[in-house]
Amino acid sequence: MEFNGHLSRRGLFQAGAGLLLTAALPPLPARAATSNEYGIAAAPARARLGGSARPQTDVWTYNGTVPGSLVRLRQGEPARIAVENRLDQETTVHWHGIRLPNAMDGVPGLTQPPIKPGERFVYDFTPPDAGTFWYHPHANSLEQLGRGLAGAVIVKEREPVAVDRDLLWFLSDWRLTDEGGIASGFGNRMEAAMSGRVGNIVTLNGHVQEAEPVRAGERIRLRLVNGALARIMALRFEGHRPMIVAIDGQPCDPHEPEGGRILLGPAMRIDIMLDMQGEPGRRYAVVDDFYDDLSYQLTQLVYDEGAPLRAHPLDTPPGLPRNPLPEPDLAAAERHDLTLQGGMMGGGMMAGMGGMMGMHEGAAWAINGLSMLGDGHAGMEPALTFRRGRSVLLKLRNETAWWHPMHFHGHSLKVLSRNGAPVPHRQWQDTVLMAPKDVVEVAFVADNPGDWMLHCHVMDHQMAGLMTVLRVA
Ligand code: C2O
Ligand code: CU
Ligand code: CU
């Protein structure tokens, strides 16, 4: 999974020449000589998602591959990423989870004009936090993400972390036809009011993977990214005891996942430490069994026959250094409720959507009675405004019958409680997965000025109204 810049760019321009628009921008080097500089082209390409036995799929990519180029940055060092639009529709890039200046947040109409076909936009920011992040479009998101536009961002710690290997599993969910094409029907209204567009094939780093080769005795840092439109995942590592060390890029107190299942909502990232305690020569399944009727084997950990790398597991603690997050002052915090409403209920009604104010054509969901539709556009009025530097405590109430990974831009949220019970492990998240009827309290310091989106990351839900804007002024 090393960065594959030059080769794939070259391949893209040769193979894709007929697909490209006439606008002849000078080619960007995929990665410049100095670190933290990238050129990323959003462009159509073809991918073998199902392996060599299956037909190729027409996809939309960053630099010709799915997932797109891995962007490696260094904590606290300026980054410069030039994005070129070689699609035939407008796009933007959002750097999900990175606490960056508002003008670099990639929300069309709200933080920047969209990047038109043939145009380029340069994103400039200094990532304050080390960790696992990702990037994706924030224009026509449902279709652009669903056709493959997504990639990982790894921000390296200042001091290297002591592991034998650092692996990334970028997980994507696709809805393919029998011929291998991406199924049409984005924005199906029924789906939008239910679980969203859950696909029929999950890829790991762009392919269906049968095996992840490992060696007995090694310690692996495994970065999990759920880049799906709607699919929630619950990963189980047969015969192993993963330790969660970071959530959404933010280190937490190392802990084992509840019930041995790593719950990963769309857009969430979880870093785990895996001490490879299996037997040389054996295979262990990694299973996703979030949906009762859709459980499948994601891959297998395949042990090398050779002797263990070390006789005993490492006894250094697996934790990661904390990022410089401002601690909210809970006693002084201003408090607000954000209530999620709508969606299909048992009888087919949209709960509470009937007489709601701000109810638009096409809305299936609302926050505090208001539905913001689509992706981001000019004139989105903030639902709440916070004075810069204030501590804020939000109570998120899910009154619906569906799961929602709720995401806030520009800040990380300290997760305080779930359904009245304190959340342990000092967890900070930018995407909080809420089960039906959950009530979750989060807190943060509103220290990053600008208009920031808060939305469900099930893309159909966002498009159909589960979105709002919060202003820090
Ligand atoms: Cu990945 Cu508006 O978010
Ligand atoms: Cu985001
Ligand atoms: Cu949702």
Side-chain angles (χ1 to χ4, degrees):
M1 242 347 258
E2 256 312 310
F3 180 74
N4 54 4
H6 285 282
L7 278 178
S8 66
R9 288 267 320 163
R10 195 161 300 249
L12 166 69
F13 282 108
Q14 282 163 1
L19 298 167
L20 299 184
L21 296 165
T22 44
L25 292 167
L28 295 161
R31 183 174 192 174
T34 45
S35 68
N36 286 9
E37 286 203 19
Y38 285 86
I40 294 205
R46 289 169 76 72
R48 281 207 188 277
L49 305 174
S52 48
R54 296 277 300 271
Q56 293 207 69
T57 304
D58 285 312
V59 290
W60 295 352
T61 70
Y62 291 125
N63 288 347
T65 58
V66 286
S69 292
L70 171 59
V71 173
R72 285 182 176 280
L73 305 177
R74 289 171 221 262
Q75 182 177 20
E77 293 183 20
R80 190 172 185 279
I81 305 164
V83 173
E84 197 178 297
N85 182 2
R86 294 183 177 272
L87 304 170
D88 61 6
Q89 58 182 259
E90 295 179 342
T91 193
T92 59
V93 175
H94 171 61
W95 308 93
H96 182 119
I98 300 182
R99 299 186 295 136
L100 40 61
N102 192 252
M104 298 294 122
D105 199 41
V107 181
L110 193 68
T111 71
Q112 70 167 90
I115 313 171
K116 296 209 174 65
E119 286 185 357
R120 180 186 287 184
F121 187 93
V122 178
Y123 294 92
D124 258 309
F125 56 86
T126 300
D129 303 322
T132 307
F133 303 93
W134 68 300
Y135 64 106
H136 63 77
H138 227 294
N140 190 18
S141 310
L142 177 59
E143 184 174 7
Q144 291 190 11
L145 180 60
R147 291 191 183 277
L149 284 170
V153 182
I154 292 179
V155 183
K156 279 216 307 211
E157 287 80 10
R158 290 198 176 84
E159 302 296 329
V161 172
V163 292
D164 296 305
R165 284 194 299 147
D166 189 324
L167 290 183
L168 168 69
W169 286 3
F170 194 98
L171 307 176
S172 315
D173 181 41
W174 310 83
R175 185 179 290 176
L176 298 185
T177 63
D178 291 343
E179 294 73 47
I182 290 176
S184 58
F186 288 99
N188 172 300
R189 185 147 160 65
M190 189 64 106
E191 252 171 15
M194 300 174 71
S195 59
R197 182 176 160 114
V198 175
N200 52 15
I201 158 177
V202 174
T203 56
L204 190 166
N205 296 341
H207 311 277
V208 171
Q209 301 278 4
E210 253 97 77
E212 177 70 58
V214 300
R215 184 147 175 220
E218 64 179 345
R219 176 176 285 180
I220 295 175
R221 174 185 188 168
L222 177 57
R223 303 168 187 263
L224 302 166
V225 182
N226 182 345
L229 286 177
R231 181 188 286 272
I232 302 167
M233 300 172 186
L235 302 185
R236 212 186 268 289
F237 287 74
E238 185 200 75
H240 291 76
R241 299 180 63 181
M243 276 286 201
I244 296 179
V245 293
I247 307 176
D248 290 349
Q250 300 296 350
C252 58
D253 298 336
H255 62 281
E256 290 191 48
E258 228 184 282
R261 279 164 114 217
I262 299 168
L263 199 54
L264 207 56
M268 285 180 65
R269 290 87 61 213
I270 290 187
D271 288 26
I272 58 175
M273 291 290 184
L274 269 178
D275 283 318
M276 305 315 297
Q277 297 296 295
E279 285 168 41
R282 262 197 70 178
R283 298 169 160 257
Y284 300 84
V286 181
V287 170
D288 171 9
D289 62 1
F290 179 78
Y291 304 97
D292 295 334
D293 45 348
L294 292 181
S295 123
Y296 63 97
Q297 178 175 296
L298 177 67
T299 188
Q300 286 186 315
L301 303 173
V302 177
Y303 275 74
D304 187 273
E305 303 276 354
L309 195 65
R310 52 176 66 83
H312 303 286
L314 280 181
D315 52 11
T316 41
L320 298 171
R322 295 256 163 187
N323 284 319
L325 289 163
E327 192 67 37
D329 175 353
L330 296 181
E334 56 179 279
R335 294 165 177 259
H336 299 275
D337 284 16
L338 291 176
T339 302
L340 318 182
Q341 301 150 311
M344 286 290 188
M345 298 294 266
M349 295 285 292
M350 309 267 191
M353 293 296 288
M356 263 169 17
M357 296 195 342
M359 171 78 184
H360 296 267
E361 182 64 32
W365 308 92
I367 298 179
N368 289 357
L370 284 167
S371 305
M372 283 189 186
L373 296 177
D375 266 294
H377 40 84
M380 296 176 107
E381 282 303 312
L384 297 169
T385 299
F386 309 121
R387 201 160 32 84
R388 186 173 178 184
R390 270 315 284 265
S391 290
V392 179
L393 193 156
L394 296 178
K395 188 179 270 191
L396 305 169
R397 302 171 178 279
N398 180 5
E399 287 189 346
T400 80
W402 301 91
W403 291 76
H404 304 289
M406 296 305 296
H407 170 51
F408 186 34
H409 287 209
H411 299 77
S412 286
L413 307 168
K414 187 171 191 181
V415 186
L416 303 175
S417 73
R418 192 178 288 268
N419 302 323
V423 170
H425 317 305
R426 293 186 294 159
Q427 305 186 12
W428 293 78
Q429 298 182 227
D430 56 60
T431 308
V432 180
L433 182 62
M434 300 185 71
K437 309 299 175 194
D438 264 4
V439 178
V440 176
E441 285 181 310
V442 298
F444 63 101
V445 178
D447 61 348
N448 198 356
D451 283 356
W452 302 103
M453 270 195 176
L454 184 150
H455 63 85
C456 178
H457 224 287
V458 170
M459 282 299 162
D460 302 88
H461 293 180
Q462 178 207 296
M463 303 296 275
L466 207 44
M467 170 164 69
T468 191
V469 170
L470 306 183
R471 175 173 293 169
V472 178

